[in-house]
Amino acid sequence: MLKVIKLPIRQVSKTGTRALSKRVCCTSSVMRRHHSLVTTRGFGTTKVVFQSVEIAFKDLSPEEQKLLTEKRVVDKVDVCIVGGGPAGMATAIKLKQLDVEQRLRVVVLEKSADFGSHIVSGVILDPKALRELFPKSEYYNDNGEGIPVPPELVTKVVEEELRYFMGKISFPVPAPAEMHNKNKNYVGSLSQIAAYLAEKAEEVGVEVYPGISVSDVIYSEDGKSVIGVATKDMGISKTGRPKENFERGMEFHARQTVFAEGCHGSLSKQIIKKFDLRKGRQNQSYGLGTKEVWEVKPEKFRKGYVSHTMGYPLSNSVYGGGFQYHFGDNIVTVGLVVGLDYKNPYISPYQEFQKMKQLPYFRDVLLGGRCISYAARALNEGGLQAVPKLNFPGGVLVGASAGFMNVPKIKGSHTAMKSGIIAAEKIFEVISKMPTLEELEETGTEKLVEKPINLESYEAGFRSSWAYKELYAVRNIRPAFNTRLGGIGGMMYAGLDSFILKGHTPWTFRFHESDAAVTETADKYKPIEYPKPDDEITFDILTSVSRTGTYHDEDEKCHLRVPDQDLEKHAEAAYPKYKGIENRFCPAGVYEYVEDKSSPLGVKFQINAQNCIHCKTCDIKVPTQDINWVVPEGGDGPKYSLT
């Protein structure tokens, strides 16, 4: 059962109970009703084809229109954080650590049913930000060294290598300093780390609400600032009609709204566009990471061993690399990251991953083991030059919502968390000087702030931090792979920059316009015939998706949006040029073109929304840029545990 700690207005007793104001009682009641709709569902994966069956709002009955537009319940908080990943939790925890007098209400809204169950990463953890967040910890050794998380969650890296593959032949490559992990970093599951951080947030008085999708940004009357967010309506059928269990979403109005949705967040991308936060900055570039978690035979397990690979199965024109990490008890995570700026529409990142596992380097480790989990997620690769402006009137961006991934280091959690820590410090400096919410309520003051807070100090704080310096030093390495020399040229420049230049150059390389825009038409390439799965080391997509625990209500409004949900119109625009690229870039079998002799195209486009594992690749890569990923109902999606 979900344990929710309510932020005290005055003081929390040792049992965590207190007298609640009418405002908080109202919130709790609504949130419990939302949560009941989530927790009563089971998880499983089916393959249901969604056709365009939605009814236009104007064609709904007056009663249905009234239900869908009725005024939402409004709750007021000091800080509302959208997203319960490492960055969001770091923001929340730091705010409450600073709030020693317990004056502030800090709320975290997370769309996954359980904290951590939508988190995907390698993961190798640099403990720097965690150590800043928890300077004292029972998990440090006698010298104060280590990482402040339970030891069963992480394994220290004790052995590592970097290899380049040319077919089945490989050779070691000197690893740049940024990639050194031995005896200083840790491997584990970021999903489990996120769940642990949620527990720590509760301990310091953060209100945490999993299973709550946030679907809308609430703007001021003049549209010039953000005043909060709204949670998604529950109980809308795939036709767009409210069902018997319909529950209107609610609004959270906040002095500051923190967007910590992760890579390519559905609200963050709106905020970036509305406030022109990319002005003077470059567009983001992305990669798609696919990974599996295996339980291997004890004799093949090397605890604390990590390796990274480059080259095969990817061609010289495709950026990316593989990995295998050994941690816990006989657990090995194996994965492949493919840069989404590839040009050939016939490439399938999922199938490239399956090919990679057939290399003896990977196959010999996995053979005889058991695949227990699968996951995929888009990640930021644009580096420092693609980080947008971080603040806007009413809120800030933190973590992967902004894009703090250190690609050469193959890490982003530590920089994401650092951004949350900085944001929390700057938010507290401003909000702590204001009247409390209780004081505003007693005086009948409706507005939470006299004028919108535009936290310029946050951007300045980031630029003076170690996170900025770290990203600045490696800013040219990833875009170096976009030259005509491709992967080989990128490796040569990366070596020069890492070992000699060390980022001290007067130039900063630029990225392309977008990953979608660089995609070329299918007539320039030949279809790629990928090997059939052997069901031992390699698997078909639906088998892999079944290992994600993904669930979406069959009778739910499709969260993968095309204009007017006109699937035929999308197919007419996309299929003749790209010959079903959606089939291939999606790592979950969501999009299909099936043979249909009655169609002028000879195929019919289908969206199997129940399979969606929330990787966001479709929103990023589709060349027609007419697929919009929005949040489904709260609690829907994958249920990861070891990713």
Side-chain angles (χ1 to χ4, degrees):
M1 181 177 292
L2 171 67
K3 178 183 177 184
V4 178
I5 292 183
K6 303 295 186 297
L7 180 102
I9 288 178
R10 296 187 184 278
Q11 185 176 2
V12 176
S13 69
K14 292 182 179 180
T15 60
T17 60
R18 65 169 174 83
L20 301 176
S21 68
K22 291 182 179 179
R23 168 174 49 78
V24 178
C25 281
C26 182
T27 301
S28 302
S29 175
V30 173
M31 298 302 268
R32 281 196 299 271
R33 291 200 298 273
H34 271 264
H35 191 258
S36 69
L37 292 175
V38 174
T39 55
T40 54
R41 299 171 174 177
F43 284 85
T45 302
T46 57
K47 190 171 185 289
V48 176
V49 174
F50 277 72
Q51 298 291 351
S52 180
V53 295
E54 287 186 21
I55 300 170
F57 180 81
K58 64 181 179 63
D59 295 327
L60 298 176
S61 70
E63 293 78 14
E64 291 170 328
Q65 291 183 7
K66 184 178 180 181
L67 271 177
L68 292 171
T69 57
E70 69 180 1
K71 191 174 182 180
R72 300 184 182 103
V73 172
V74 176
D75 191 28
K76 295 179 180 180
V77 302
D78 289 287
V79 181
C80 181
I81 300 169
V82 182
M89 284 304 174
T91 308
I93 291 168
K94 187 62 180 180
L95 274 166
K96 294 305 296 175
Q97 288 175 339
L98 294 170
D99 183 30
V100 293
E101 296 181 1
Q102 294 288 292
R103 290 166 49 90
L104 306 183
R105 278 194 76 199
V106 179
V107 167
V108 176
L109 306 177
E110 165 57 38
K111 66 182 175 68
S112 64
D114 303 291
F115 285 99
S117 63
H118 285 183
I119 299 293
V120 183
S121 179
V123 61
I124 295 181
L125 281 168
D126 181 329
K128 192 171 186 178
L130 279 167
R131 288 180 60 85
E132 286 187 14
L133 193 60
F134 304 111
K136 296 181 180 179
S137 173
E138 61 184 298
Y139 303 116
Y140 292 148
N141 62 24
D142 293 339
N143 296 323
E145 301 170 336
I147 184 170
V149 299
E152 64 270 20
L153 298 187
V154 292
T155 298
K156 197 167 190 177
V157 177
V158 297
E159 183 183 2
E160 63 184 331
E161 66 176 334
L162 173 64
R163 302 192 73 83
Y164 187 87
F165 277 83
M166 299 177 67
K168 294 183 180 181
I169 301 173
S170 70
F171 51 87
V173 178
E178 292 83 13
M179 291 185 67
H180 291 175
N181 300 291
K182 185 177 178 180
N183 294 326
K184 63 179 183 178
N185 295 327
Y186 300 79
V187 63
S189 161
L190 194 61
S191 173
Q192 293 183 340
I193 296 296
Y196 174 73
L197 290 175
E199 294 176 7
K200 301 301 290 184
E202 286 186 298
E203 289 177 8
V204 292
V206 178
E207 295 181 39
V208 296
Y209 296 106
I212 304 299
S213 288
V214 179
S215 59
D216 296 283
V217 180
I218 307 299
Y219 297 101
S220 59
E221 290 183 4
D222 62 9
K224 294 182 179 180
S225 65
V226 170
I227 62 172
V229 293
T231 64
K232 189 177 182 70
D233 294 343
M234 302 285 282
I236 298 179
S237 72
K238 60 186 176 183
T239 66
R241 296 184 184 277
K243 298 186 289 189
E244 289 185 1
N245 65 343
F246 174 77
E247 184 74 53
R248 185 76 163 118
M250 64 176 295
E251 294 182 13
F252 282 86
H253 292 187
R255 286 167 160 162
Q256 277 282 277
T257 304
V258 178
F259 292 89
E261 301 174 285
C263 177
H264 205 65
S266 56
L267 300 183
S268 301
K269 66 185 182 185
Q270 296 177 32
I271 291 292
I272 290 171
K273 183 177 181 180
K274 179 176 178 61
F275 293 103
D276 198 16
L277 301 183
R278 289 210 182 279
K279 184 178 181 181
R281 319 288 170 98
Q282 295 182 35
N283 286 324
Q284 186 59 260
S285 187
Y286 301 88
L288 173 62
T290 51
K291 69 174 289 187
E292 293 171 351
V293 182
W294 286 69
E295 184 178 12
V296 301
K297 289 184 175 181
E299 61 268 25
K300 298 182 178 183
F301 180 66
R302 300 159 68 178
K303 190 165 188 173
Y305 168 76
V306 303
S307 75
H308 296 97
T309 67
M310 299 182 70
Y312 184 87
L314 302 181
S315 68
N316 186 51
S317 62
V318 179
Y319 178 81
F323 62 88
Q324 63 169 298
Y325 304 153
H326 296 227
F327 70 101
D329 295 322
N330 303 322
I331 298 298
V332 174
T333 60
V334 56
L336 176 70
V337 177
V338 177
L340 288 177
D341 54 358
Y342 61 81
K343 297 178 180 180
N344 184 348
Y346 287 112
I347 288 174
S348 166
Y350 177 84
Q351 296 295 350
E352 296 290 338
F353 172 44
Q354 301 306 307
K355 279 177 62 178
M356 186 194 77
K357 287 187 295 171
Q358 290 288 20
L359 288 169
Y361 185 77
F362 294 95
R363 183 180 177 84
D364 291 349
V365 174
L366 304 179
L367 197 62
R370 181 171 66 97
C371 182
I372 58 179
S373 184
Y374 166 76
R377 185 68 167 92
L379 50 93
N380 302 291
E381 289 190 346
L384 183 64
Q385 49 268 64
V387 173
K389 186 177 182 182
L390 301 175
N391 57 284
F392 50 89
V396 296
L397 301 171
V398 301
S401 281
F404 293 103
M405 177 79 172
N406 184 328
V407 178
K409 200 170 185 174
I410 319 179
K411 296 176 188 63
S413 298
H414 66 302
T415 44
M417 292 181 67
K418 178 60 175 178
S419 72
I421 292 171
I422 298 168
E425 292 170 341
K426 302 307 179 182
I427 290 170
F428 185 77
E429 286 178 4
V430 177
I431 293 181
S432 62
K433 300 172 184 177
M434 296 179 175
T436 65
L437 298 176
E438 187 178 36
E439 290 168 347
L440 291 180
E441 192 172 39
E442 289 173 351
T443 59
T445 304
E446 288 294 323
K447 287 188 175 182
L448 293 177
V449 292
E450 292 183 6
K451 64 178 182 178
I453 301 170
N454 196 358
L455 209 63
E456 298 286 354
S457 59
Y458 169 41
E459 175 98 6
F462 166 65
R463 288 183 173 274
S464 63
S465 72
W466 56 257
Y468 178 87
K469 295 174 183 176
E470 179 181 307
L471 293 175
Y472 182 83
V474 299
R475 69 194 184 283
N476 285 327
I477 293 180
R478 171 61 180 92
F481 285 81
N482 291 105
T483 67
R484 293 181 180 180
L485 295 177
I488 299 296
M491 285 185 61
M492 293 172 61
Y493 182 85
L496 175 66
D497 201 309
S498 299
F499 292 106
I500 300 175
L501 302 177
K502 299 186 181 299
H504 299 301
T505 60
W507 59 80
T508 296
F509 293 154
R510 296 184 61 82
F511 276 96
H512 42 71
E513 183 180 350
S514 73
D515 294 338
V518 301
T519 311
E520 296 182 345
T521 53
D523 58 4
K524 297 181 179 180
Y525 300 89
K526 293 181 179 180
I528 300 173
E529 293 294 329
Y530 287 103
K532 292 183 178 180
D534 61 16
D535 296 323
E536 184 178 32
I537 300 297
T538 60
F539 312 98
D540 62 75
I541 281 184
L542 293 185
T543 297
S544 292
V545 175
S546 71
R547 295 182 174 127
T548 66
T550 295
Y551 175 86
H552 296 86
D553 191 333
E554 287 187 20
D555 189 17
E556 177 182 339
K557 190 173 180 179
C558 183
H559 67 282
L560 301 162
R561 313 298 298 170
V562 296
D564 302 319
Q565 286 308 101
D566 190 333
L567 305 187
E568 185 176 350
K569 185 177 180 180
H570 170 82
E572 290 172 350
Y575 188 79
K577 292 182 178 180
Y578 304 102
K579 299 302 180 184
I581 186 175
E582 303 92 331
N583 288 7
R584 295 179 286 272
F585 63 51
C586 177
V590 171
Y591 302 99
E592 281 189 293
Y593 284 95
V594 297
E595 185 177 351
D596 183 2
K597 294 180 180 179
S598 65
S599 169
L601 297 173
V603 294
K604 187 175 183 179
F605 183 57
Q606 298 177 341
I607 300 178
N608 307 310
Q610 278 193 295
N611 290 0
C612 180
I613 56 177
H614 301 192
C615 72
K616 313 291 182 64
T617 305
C618 55
D619 198 317
I620 295 166
K621 184 60 177 174
V622 67
T624 48
Q625 282 296 281
D626 58 349
I627 296 178
N628 183 32
W629 191 98
V630 301
V631 290
E633 292 190 2
D636 283 4
K639 191 172 178 62
Y640 300 136
S641 59
L642 270 175
T643 57

